Amino acid sequence: MEQSALELGCAAEDFLREENVVVPLGLGPGSRSYYEQPIGCTLVSYGNNIVAGTEEGCRRAVEEYLSRYEFYHCFETPNLHWLDSRLKSVGQRVCFMAEYYLPDLEKLRPLGCGYELRLLERPAFAGLYRPEWGNALCEKRAALDVLCLGAYDGEKLVGLAGCSADCEGMWQIGVDVLPSYRRRGIAAALTSGLAAETLRRGRVPFYCSAWSNLRSVRNALKCGFVPAWVEMSAKPEGFVEEMNACPR
């Protein structure tokens, strides 16, 4: 909550209120590295309410939106269509949505998978910025990648989890497994092992997934991660159109 407060320009206690809170959006020092202006608005919920950081042009639409619907319905259709149509009138569109997970320290434990696991420090993973490891490592933000855990079948790398130091106190975990090696427990072994190592290094591991990516969600739960918060943000209409023009 303290980290989210830095990114919205609010107080951490605002996420514990019963009523919704709307503040001027202000990305403070220490915000996660991938948050880049311009952002029309960002809505965050830890399960009690919604705290929204907004630009002035989006504020009226966001305030009306939060007053119309229960906070837990504000992250789903058909209600999101209402917000999107209002934001379009000021040049913004609903863009990113995700669910975030934090470790339950009573459940998190390193899991096995039957393959050798190797911890990789810089520069050992410098040559692994390839498409098959695109969730574990991000070439655009390579300077933030700090630690990896690889699964090996002999000398063949078959799975990789990576930590990105997206902010000072929290490292995000991403994981990839080669298609022919999936459903063997490799993703869970890598995710849980890297999460435990992250904690040993004094950082909080966190995990992000689209709500509809059930394979990723099941992996998080299996490793001892639990849903912690959700986010939705709006970006300029041109940015959204550019993203849609380049499908992954």
Side-chain angles (χ1 to χ4, degrees):
M1 292 180 185
E2 291 175 354
Q3 182 62 41
S4 293
L6 286 174
E7 294 154 359
L8 293 186
C10 65
E13 294 78 13
D14 288 335
F15 299 106
L16 298 173
R17 300 182 187 277
E18 292 297 319
E19 70 277 4
N20 296 321
V21 177
V22 180
V23 298
L25 180 64
L27 292 179
S31 297
R32 276 171 284 171
S33 59
Y34 48 82
Y35 286 157
E36 297 179 354
Q37 292 282 20
I39 301 172
C41 62
T42 298
L43 279 59
V44 177
S45 178
Y46 281 81
N48 303 294
N49 67 349
I50 288 176
V51 179
T54 78
E55 290 185 346
E56 186 58 35
C58 299
R59 184 181 182 96
R60 183 174 179 181
V62 170
E63 287 179 333
E64 186 176 354
Y65 184 58
L66 298 186
S67 70
R68 289 175 65 94
Y69 306 109
E70 290 286 347
F71 74 90
Y72 46 83
H73 288 312
C74 288
F75 295 89
E76 61 185 14
T77 54
N79 298 347
L80 270 175
H81 294 305
W82 186 97
L83 178 62
D84 189 61
S85 66
R86 292 337 187 254
L87 292 176
K88 185 177 181 180
S89 68
V90 293
Q92 301 282 334
R93 302 300 298 265
V94 172
C95 187
F96 297 119
M97 283 182 66
E99 185 170 22
Y100 290 86
Y101 299 77
L102 291 173
D104 182 332
L105 298 184
E106 295 183 356
K107 297 179 180 178
L108 177 68
R109 66 190 188 282
L111 302 172
C113 64
Y115 292 91
E116 181 189 359
L117 303 183
R118 302 178 191 172
L119 197 62
L120 305 176
E121 307 261 7
R122 285 177 175 168
F125 57 79
L128 298 179
Y129 287 90
R130 301 195 296 265
E132 62 264 38
W133 312 124
N135 290 311
L137 295 169
C138 179
E139 191 167 14
K140 285 179 62 177
R141 297 191 295 272
L144 301 177
D145 292 329
V146 290
L147 189 65
C148 288
L149 186 64
Y152 288 81
D153 184 0
E155 290 304 309
K156 180 181 180 181
L157 180 63
V158 299
L160 185 70
C163 269
S164 174
D166 293 332
C167 54
E168 177 62 28
M170 301 174 69
W171 290 358
Q172 182 170 194
I173 293 178
V175 62
D176 293 288
V177 177
L178 296 181
S180 60
Y181 283 84
R182 291 173 184 167
R183 298 189 178 184
R184 303 186 192 185
I186 295 174
L190 293 173
T191 302
S192 61
L194 194 56
E197 181 63 27
T198 298
L199 287 167
R200 280 194 289 271
R201 298 184 182 216
R203 301 296 193 277
V204 176
F206 72 103
Y207 187 98
C208 176
S209 175
W211 67 267
S212 56
N213 188 348
L214 297 183
R215 183 168 60 192
S216 181
V217 171
R218 291 187 188 113
N219 180 54
L221 298 177
K222 183 177 180 179
C223 295
F225 281 83
V226 294
W229 80 98
V230 293
E231 295 186 13
M232 184 274 290
S233 63
K235 299 279 282 183
E237 187 170 11
F239 177 90
V240 176
E241 290 176 350
E242 184 177 347
M243 289 197 72
N244 284 332
C246 302
R248 183 179 176 185

